[in-house]
Amino acid sequence: CGSPRCGKTSISKVVFQKLSPHESMFLENGLTRMETFSVCHNHLLRLRLVDFPGAILCDENVSLHQNDAAIFGGGDCVVVLVIDAQEESYATSISRAKKVIEFALKRNSKLTFDVLIHKVDGAKFYSEDRKVECQTIIHDKLTEELADKVQECSINFHCTSIYDHSIFEAFSKIVQKLIPEKVLLEQCLQSLLDST
């Protein structure tokens, strides 16, 4: 979820459909409807991705209740929110993220959230310190907005770009949370390391 033109579709195409980052500049201007697609690489990794058009989140009159089960249904689920780091003000994006988090938690209290602070590849982010500063600002504002509305909520923040490894690293961490056998796999690997 995220504002129009923040990079949601580019991210999903680059990460899961092997589109070149440079080709993503030629994608159509935003989605007009929700798109769902599956990613099945093996038995451990079966994902269903739902790409929301940013305009849905802009329209206060739109209700998602008919899609609740498909989007926030049972099983492990992560909601990925995308915020364009190159925006002048993050207020609108943070407000939308807050609405999505509140809406989603009402439907499934076990959800976790990952915020991708995306497009940290421009001239504005010439150093790692600028990226951390941007992440801190967004983290603090979103946490403050949610403080009185949400009791407990797991939110992780990642600075990303489709032009480097950061988007793949972020999604690696997100997907790892969805693998139920992760703890067992880690124990097996640790056992193997200990025995060598």
Side-chain angles (χ1 to χ4, degrees):
C1 302
S3 303
R5 309 289 305 151
C6 69
K8 301 176 302 295
T9 303
S10 295
I11 290 169
S12 68
K13 301 268 187 208
V14 168
V15 173
F16 295 104
Q17 297 177 1
K18 310 264 189 268
L19 183 73
S20 162
H22 299 291
E23 290 177 53
S24 71
M25 293 189 310
F26 304 108
L27 292 173
E28 288 183 32
N29 254 357
L31 295 172
T32 56
R33 60 184 168 72
M34 187 175 71
E35 285 186 6
T36 303
F37 59 94
S38 296
V39 178
C40 299
H41 290 295
N42 58 45
H43 294 292
L44 287 176
L45 182 61
R46 293 174 187 257
L47 303 173
R48 185 178 43 144
L49 302 173
V50 181
D51 191 353
F52 274 102
I56 283 181
L57 300 174
C58 299
D59 188 349
E60 299 289 334
N61 300 318
V62 173
S63 172
L64 301 175
H65 68 280
Q66 67 272 21
N67 298 314
D68 284 358
I71 299 164
F72 307 111
D76 292 331
C77 186
V78 175
V79 176
V80 178
L81 303 158
V82 181
I83 295 179
D84 187 343
Q86 296 182 7
E87 286 182 353
E88 291 299 314
S89 169
Y90 305 120
T92 304
S93 293
I94 289 171
S95 174
R96 285 188 186 129
K98 175 187 170 240
K99 285 182 196 174
V100 170
I101 291 169
E102 289 173 349
F103 180 87
L105 285 174
K106 287 178 186 171
R107 275 108 188 123
N108 183 348
S109 61
K110 296 177 185 174
L111 288 173
T112 61
F113 299 87
D114 282 84
V115 176
L116 302 182
I117 302 163
H118 191 56
K119 300 182 185 177
V120 292
D121 48 34
K124 183 177 175 181
F125 300 98
Y126 54 85
S127 72
E128 199 63 35
D129 292 340
R130 297 282 292 154
K131 294 176 187 178
V132 170
E133 179 184 336
C134 177
Q135 181 175 341
T136 302
I137 290 168
I138 291 171
H139 174 273
D140 292 348
K141 286 183 179 180
L142 184 58
T143 304
E144 181 182 316
E145 290 260 337
L146 290 169
D148 58 334
K149 300 281 185 182
V150 177
Q151 305 304 330
E152 261 186 62
C153 178
S154 172
I155 305 175
N156 298 299
F157 294 81
H158 313 273
C159 289
T160 62
S161 168
I162 59 173
Y163 296 103
D164 63 22
H165 70 282
S166 60
I167 191 66
F168 295 101
E169 185 177 324
F171 265 97
S172 174
K173 291 175 182 177
I174 293 167
V175 169
Q176 285 178 39
K177 291 191 289 188
L178 297 172
I179 299 174
E181 297 85 1
K182 180 185 175 212
V183 174
L184 178 62
L185 290 171
E186 287 176 342
Q187 290 171 348
C188 289
L189 287 172
Q190 188 61 47
S191 175
L192 181 64
L193 283 173
D194 293 342
S195 67
T196 56

